[in-house]
């Protein structure tokens, strides 16, 4: 087992030695931000995009991080070395406004920060066969572009999906699809990809940004244009993206098949391009579908 290593400035400790003050603002207010970065074969994927987004989130919530981007790059690289990560993994990092007496007003204290590495195999079977999803009203706040710790609505939606035997919950505001509980979502119709524009109502996903590049390289039209839950039922293909789910086909929504009920050709092309972009030597296309 790879032990999670907690990172505070330049200190690494075993997970069993971590002590958190009870008056920590992340615990009491959800007053913090986070990132999840994918690691393939011991190397970070899209780390620049993730770190840039962390700093954007910090600026949006007026949180001063205790390091520069360059220093964080170095520390996260050291974290992989300490954990001897050589395969597929993920790194979770979190920053909060610090520890102080409970008060809604910002305290004059240093931020708290930690990160850990955890072995995380690729979800080969789901990537190969596709997953089911349900639809749920999007009841979150209006600043979803900030990757904050305030995730209770996301948690409830994800739990509802699990209880209905699905992998993910597709969220919508008045029938307009925004994203999923922990991923971005797309439909394909007549060879064209559509996904919600980058507004404050969705997270500006790092894999999402890469999909835009991959689609352009493959000459696949991609429109950042909102669509409805009815459009989902008429789609030729539907897929989601996230750092841990990669490019995941959705083959069933609310108990109904998406088109033929199997991963479609556009999704497969993007999956293959993603693997090549990430430098993966083992492909899901070596598996029997």
């Amino acid at each position: 087992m790879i032990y999670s290593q907690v990172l505070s400035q330049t200190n690494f400790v075993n997970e069993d030695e971590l002590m958190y003050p009870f008056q920590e603002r992340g615990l009491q207010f959800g007053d913090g931000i986070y990132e999840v970065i994918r690691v393939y074969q011991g190397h970070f994927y899209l780390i620049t995009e993730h770190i840039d987004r962390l700093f954007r989130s910090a600026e949006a919530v007026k949180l001063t991080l205790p390091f520069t981007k360059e220093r964080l790059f170095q520390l996260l690289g050291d974290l992989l070395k300490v954990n001897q990560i050589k395969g597929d993994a993920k790194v979770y990092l979190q920053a909060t406004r610090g520890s102080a007496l409970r008060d809604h007003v910002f305290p004059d204290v240093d931020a708290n920060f930690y990160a850990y590495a955890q072995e995380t195999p690729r979800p080969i079977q789901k990537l190969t066969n596709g997953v089911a999803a349900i639809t749920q009203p999007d009841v979150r706040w209006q600043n979803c572009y900030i990757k904050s710790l305030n995730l209770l609505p996301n948690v409830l939606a994800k739990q509802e999906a699990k209880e209905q035997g699905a992998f993910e919950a597709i969220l919508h505001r008045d029938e307009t699809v925004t994203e999923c509980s922990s991923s971005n979502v797309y439909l394909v119709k007549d060879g064209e990809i559509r996904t919600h524009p980058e507004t404050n109502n969705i997270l500006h996903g790092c894999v999402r940004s890469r999909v835009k590049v991959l689609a352009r390289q493959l000459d696949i039209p991609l429109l950042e244009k909102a669509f409805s839950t009815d459009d989902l039922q008429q789609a030729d293909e539907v897929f989601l993206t996230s750092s841990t789910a990669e490019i995941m086909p959705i083959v069933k929504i609310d108990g109904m098949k998406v088109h033929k009920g199997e991963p479609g050709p556009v999704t497969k092309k993007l999956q293959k391009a993603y693997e090549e972009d990430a430098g993966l030597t083992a492909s899901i296309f070596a598996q029997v579908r």
Side-chain angles (χ1 to χ4, degrees):
M1 173 182 176
I2 296 293
Y3 284 103
S4 300
Q5 301 295 321
V6 179
L7 171 63
S8 175
Q9 300 288 3
T10 57
N11 298 322
F12 294 85
V13 300
N14 189 277
E15 60 181 347
D16 296 330
E17 299 171 0
L18 173 63
M19 296 294 292
Y20 242 109
F22 73 93
Q23 294 208 6
E24 209 283 330
R25 289 183 67 90
L27 299 175
Q28 296 194 340
F29 292 104
D31 188 1
I33 56 176
Y34 75 103
E35 283 291 333
V36 179
I37 309 176
R38 199 53 159 114
V39 176
Y40 291 122
Q41 299 162 201
H43 301 283
F44 284 111
Y45 181 58
L46 302 179
I47 186 172
T48 299
E49 290 84 347
H50 282 282
I51 289 181
D52 285 346
R53 187 173 62 184
L54 180 75
F55 275 77
R56 288 198 303 271
S57 293
E59 182 179 7
V61 300
K62 302 180 181 180
L63 174 60
T64 301
L65 295 172
F67 36 63
T68 63
K69 290 182 181 181
E70 292 74 17
R71 179 58 174 154
L72 182 56
F73 272 103
Q74 179 185 351
L75 291 170
L76 294 178
D78 292 343
L79 182 67
L80 291 188
K81 293 177 183 178
V82 169
N83 279 277
Q84 299 180 6
I85 298 293
K86 298 180 180 179
D88 297 339
K90 67 180 178 182
V91 167
Y92 178 89
L93 48 148
Q94 175 175 304
T96 75
R97 210 173 302 277
S99 302
L101 293 176
R102 192 179 189 280
D103 190 337
H104 282 65
V105 176
F106 294 174
D108 185 17
V109 296
D110 293 333
N112 286 332
F113 176 80
Y114 76 89
Y116 65 84
Q118 178 182 333
E119 289 182 326
T120 307
R122 298 180 66 203
I124 297 296
Q125 184 175 2
K126 291 182 174 67
L127 289 168
T128 303
N129 299 322
V131 297
I134 62 170
T135 55
Q136 288 276 287
D138 190 344
V139 297
R140 302 170 300 165
W141 70 328
Q142 298 297 317
N143 290 312
C144 296
Y145 75 97
I146 301 171
K147 201 167 177 69
S148 79
L149 302 181
N150 298 281
L151 295 174
L152 185 56
N154 306 64
V155 168
L156 293 173
K158 193 82 165 186
Q159 179 63 26
E160 184 63 28
K162 180 181 179 181
E163 291 176 5
Q164 294 191 36
F167 176 79
E168 182 60 291
I170 300 173
L171 307 179
H172 62 89
R173 297 178 188 260
D174 297 324
E175 309 307 321
T176 296
V177 173
T178 49
E179 56 182 343
C180 298
S181 70
S182 61
S183 55
N184 294 118
V185 65
Y186 316 70
L187 66 73
V188 181
K189 186 67 176 178
D190 298 327
E192 181 180 85
I193 304 169
R194 286 174 59 183
T195 190
H196 196 285
E198 284 190 353
T199 66
N200 64 315
N201 286 330
I202 71 164
L203 182 69
H204 303 174
C206 295
V207 176
R208 181 185 188 279
S209 67
R210 184 60 60 170
V211 164
K212 292 164 62 176
V213 173
L214 297 177
R216 185 164 58 249
Q217 293 173 348
L218 294 168
D219 292 324
I220 301 173
L222 188 154
L223 295 181
E224 295 187 73
K225 182 179 179 180
F227 55 87
S228 70
T229 52
D230 286 341
D231 292 327
L232 282 175
Q233 297 298 342
Q234 303 301 319
D236 298 327
E237 304 174 43
V238 180
F239 63 92
L240 61 83
T241 63
S242 75
S243 292
T244 53
E246 301 183 8
I247 298 174
M248 182 74 70
I250 297 176
V251 298
K252 184 183 292 186
I253 300 173
D254 290 334
M256 298 179 61
K257 287 183 180 180
V258 175
H259 197 49
K260 296 180 181 180
E262 59 187 33
V266 172
T267 304
K268 290 178 182 178
K269 287 180 181 178
L270 288 170
Q271 287 180 316
K272 186 174 182 180
Y274 176 95
E275 290 185 333
E276 292 173 353
D277 190 64
L280 298 175
T281 56
S283 173
I284 62 172
F285 296 96
Q287 310 294 320
V288 177
R289 287 185 179 269

